[in-house]
Amino acid sequence: MKKSEKKTLTTGFGMPVDNDLNSVTAGAKGPVLIQDAHLTEKLAHFDRERIPERVVHAKGAGAYGYFEVSGDVSRYTRAKFLSEKGKKTDVFVRFSTVGGERGSADSERDPRGFAVKFYTEEGNFDMVGNNTPVFFIRDPLKFPDFIHTQKRNPATNLKDADMFWDFLSLTPESIHQVTILFSDRGTPRSYRNMNGYTSHTYMWYNQKGEHFWIKLHFKTEQGIQNFSGEEAERMRGSDPDCSTRDLHDAIARGEFPSWRVEVQVMTPQQAETYRFDPFDVTKVWPHADFPPIPFGRMVLNRNPENYFAEVEQAAFSPANFVPGIAASPDKMLQGRLFSYHDTHRHRLGANYHLLPINASKAAVNTYQRDGAMRPDGNGGGGPNYWPNSFGGAEPDPALSPPAIDVSGQAMRHAYVLGDVDFVQAGDLFRRVMTEQDREHLVSNIVGHLGGAQKRIQLRQCAIFYKADPEYGERVAKGLKLDASEVKKLAALSQGDRVKATS
Ligand code: NDP
């Protein structure tokens, strides 16, 4: 903490306070008098200090910095902050774990949130990603259930391996993300040593109204570094706040972390004929098909002054777009477009966008009025409706995103699980991982899945087997399961596999 200049203590309303050690009492031994408004204000405010913690991504750390354009992407997007090389935009970034509470350890095995708020001249653009390029599920209807299984058993209030693996083994599209999570990338050494990904596909559109499907990658310039399972476990005891500390201390020392920002671009024609659904967030776009194009660099160079004001109250939403960037049909993304603003309204209130950390640096002209805690002029005496003929702010039709064709019946379309759902996890295991990566992956899984019931272990091992037979066999061996039973289960349809293990 820094030493500040001498000032007189006041109440919240600015009245100077004469004494902050002794309550006003009737006699030296009490009782306390209710006329001590300083005491009652102090207690009443303290009683209200906690706000709801985020239901996911509760534990996090943040920093300020800038994004600088390094390559021309103006043929793909009209976004002004991306319009020319050398252009800089202020950013605020929040990194986090996902499942744990606000006091949980930073080195837990978990995806890491990687959220970037770009304060552009056309309003805020939020990139609300993770350190993994894919996700466990591809339908938002499954999200609350999935998160329940990552949290605590409703009876014991303990983390529960049965819940965790029961859900995942009944949700085989999770295999790709599970493989990344249980590799050492599931326990990054610090927030500085990990990549960030939009994971979802988004739309970019240019001045001519042409659109493209894109994914963004933030590649750490510090290099990927991870804890092994044992190191992560030790860290949970010795320094539960290790990533928060590392980010703060590095910036305070003047070692500013940076990321190279790349974009993968798919044309609408390529999307129509691509060999899998390009909007399915359980899959990456292979680099060989869609080479990442570097176009920017992000540097973090300033620590927050106050954690609650700047990091806890920071509110990101994947629905915060600027002209030139829009949503794709990705079903998980569509669910998130609703849920993030909704959760912040619950956590921070209807006017949370006016908090300094969330406020746009571009002019804000809306017809929204009132609501709890309205700290600005609330639109003054101007019109509070549209259309109006009093010179109020007008929509600009020239900014409309391009129309896209959609068709089909409105109903609950089941996603048919296919062999394609196991290919990328298998590729990662066989082709991308080193032998040491595979050893760590298997041992990390065995350590965790070992806590679940045997029938759940068998069901999950069959899914590993479907990704790659060696993968399934090695995990089965570590769990002392019969590998031939796993092989038989892997040959069944998911429905029959579930029946056989229920
Ligand atoms: P490439 O060989 O072109 O790319 C492999 C990618 O895998 C690199 O981006 C690398 O990231 C990343 N990687 C390396 N080691 C690991 C690990 N232990 N865990 C997770 N990721 C790792 O192959 P493809 O593009 O064909 O993808 C093959 C597989 O690689 C995918 O199925 C996916 O699992 C994984 N992957 C792919 C990404 C993509 O966007 N295509 C992104 C991240 C992972 P880095 O260069 O940062 O080390």
Side-chain angles (χ1 to χ4, degrees):
M1 252 178 225
K2 287 177 230 146
K3 205 161 179 188
S4 60
E5 283 168 30
K6 200 170 168 216
K7 288 184 224 127
T8 302
L9 180 71
T10 70
T11 66
F13 296 93
M15 187 184 102
V17 170
D18 61 320
N19 181 324
D20 198 35
L21 294 175
N22 309 106
S23 302
V24 178
T25 55
K29 292 184 181 164
V32 173
L33 297 184
I34 204 155
Q35 71 186 45
D36 188 350
H38 172 53
L39 169 69
T40 53
E41 180 194 282
K42 190 169 171 179
L43 292 180
H45 194 277
F46 175 71
D47 294 345
R48 290 163 178 79
E49 276 185 6
R50 290 290 164 269
I51 61 171
E53 68 172 33
R54 291 164 165 89
V55 65
V56 282
H57 296 274
K59 175 80 186 289
Y64 296 92
Y66 64 87
F67 169 81
E68 182 169 2
V69 179
S70 62
D72 182 11
V73 284
S74 58
R75 64 192 178 282
Y76 300 124
T77 176
R78 65 182 293 169
K80 284 193 182 155
F81 81 103
L82 299 176
S83 60
E84 54 185 306
K85 260 164 93 171
K87 186 154 186 175
K88 282 188 178 177
T89 300
D90 289 344
V91 298
F92 180 75
V93 175
R94 182 176 182 270
F95 304 115
S96 53
T97 50
V98 179
E101 298 85 1
R102 258 198 72 184
S104 59
D106 287 344
S107 63
E108 288 287 352
R109 180 169 308 286
D110 211 356
R112 301 293 188 272
F114 193 113
V116 186
K117 191 177 287 295
F118 295 78
Y119 299 96
T120 91
E121 66 263 58
E122 296 176 294
N124 291 351
F125 165 59
D126 290 352
M127 194 300 279
V128 197
N130 277 333
N131 72 327
T132 59
V134 292
F135 198 60
F136 298 89
I137 50 175
R138 51 190 165 214
D139 191 313
L141 198 52
K142 297 186 179 186
F143 189 78
D145 304 284
F146 164 63
I147 291 298
H148 287 170
T149 70
Q150 307 293 299
K151 290 187 174 270
R152 292 171 184 275
N153 179 301
T156 61
N157 200 35
L158 296 168
K159 297 274 176 90
D160 189 316
D162 277 344
M163 286 166 56
F164 187 99
W165 290 105
D166 192 32
F167 181 86
L168 293 176
S169 61
L170 294 170
T171 311
E173 67 267 31
S174 61
I175 179 65
H176 194 184
Q177 174 79 322
V178 166
T179 304
I180 296 173
L181 180 64
F182 279 85
S183 77
D184 286 342
R185 289 202 178 196
T187 49
R189 187 166 284 274
S190 80
Y191 292 137
R192 294 184 296 143
N193 295 109
M194 62 185 203
N195 294 338
Y197 305 89
T198 46
S199 315
H200 300 291
T201 299
Y202 287 86
M203 181 199 281
W204 272 6
Y205 56 97
N206 63 20
Q207 286 286 4
K208 291 190 248 171
E210 297 162 331
H211 74 276
F212 304 87
W213 303 116
I214 63 106
K215 284 177 184 282
L216 299 183
H217 303 245
F218 289 63
K219 294 293 188 81
T220 171
E221 293 186 333
Q222 290 66 243
I224 296 270
Q225 285 186 37
N226 302 308
F227 288 130
S228 68
E230 279 163 25
E231 286 172 324
E233 192 170 327
R234 245 195 336 271
M235 248 9 221
R236 289 201 273 280
S238 63
D239 188 0
D241 301 316
C242 57
S243 304
T244 307
R245 187 185 319 286
D246 175 87
L247 180 68
H248 175 275
D249 290 358
I251 293 174
R253 282 195 306 272
E255 284 175 34
F256 301 144
S258 56
W259 285 261
R260 189 177 68 255
V261 187
E262 302 173 346
V263 61
Q264 286 181 290
V265 181
M266 187 186 282
T267 64
Q269 296 74 26
Q270 287 172 313
E272 269 172 33
T273 54
Y274 198 54
R275 62 179 186 271
F276 59 80
D277 174 3
F279 309 116
D280 173 356
V281 71
T282 67
K283 296 185 179 56
V284 296
W285 295 353
H287 292 162
D289 295 348
F290 301 97
I293 306 164
F295 72 98
R297 186 162 181 261
M298 182 175 83
V299 178
L300 299 183
N301 57 11
R302 181 160 64 90
N303 279 316
E305 300 255 309
N306 183 280
Y307 184 84
F308 182 86
E310 294 153 83
V311 187
E312 190 60 15
Q313 294 197 124
F316 300 82
S317 169
N320 283 344
F321 294 119
V322 292
I325 308 178
S328 79
D330 176 334
K331 295 179 192 179
M332 266 308 293
L333 171 62
Q334 295 276 325
R336 295 178 73 210
L337 297 178
F338 160 73
S339 219
Y340 279 68
H341 279 310
D342 186 51
T343 197
H344 297 314
R345 288 183 187 113
H346 161 65
R347 204 168 64 82
L348 301 167
N351 285 315
Y352 76 92
H353 56 291
L354 299 174
L355 292 167
I357 191 66
N358 299 324
S360 161
K361 294 186 183 174
V364 173
N365 304 308
T366 84
Y367 293 106
Q368 294 155 18
R369 296 289 185 269
D370 310 349
M373 311 296 285
R374 181 86 205 203
D376 67 348
N378 194 31
N384 58 356
Y385 59 94
W386 174 259
N388 68 68
S389 56
F390 289 93
E394 298 176 23
D396 179 357
L399 296 174
S400 294
I404 58 166
D405 289 332
V406 291
S407 63
Q409 292 185 310
M411 58 175 279
R412 297 191 188 279
H413 291 273
Y415 202 109
V416 182
L417 188 75
D419 285 345
V420 69
D421 290 312
F422 300 92
V423 168
Q424 294 193 344
D427 274 353
L428 178 60
F429 181 83
R430 279 184 300 272
R431 186 165 64 71
V432 179
M433 287 187 172
T434 62
E435 180 47 29
Q436 192 194 44
D437 290 336
R438 284 188 284 265
E439 272 168 30
H440 287 199
L441 170 73
V442 169
S443 116
N444 292 335
I445 292 173
V446 168
H448 198 290
L449 182 56
Q453 296 176 19
K454 190 176 163 199
R455 66 187 178 88
I456 297 175
Q457 292 180 5
L458 281 165
R459 196 195 294 145
Q460 182 64 42
C461 277
I463 292 170
F464 294 136
Y465 190 97
K466 281 186 76 68
D468 187 284
E470 183 190 327
Y471 186 6
E473 281 164 8
R474 285 173 72 166
V475 177
K477 188 168 173 218
L479 292 168
K480 303 198 171 33
L481 298 174
D482 179 353
S484 62
E485 204 179 337
V486 169
K487 188 175 173 182
K488 268 190 230 149
L489 283 172
L492 300 178
S493 69
Q494 173 67 3
D496 289 341
R497 192 159 44 241
V498 172
K499 270 190 221 142
T501 52
S502 290

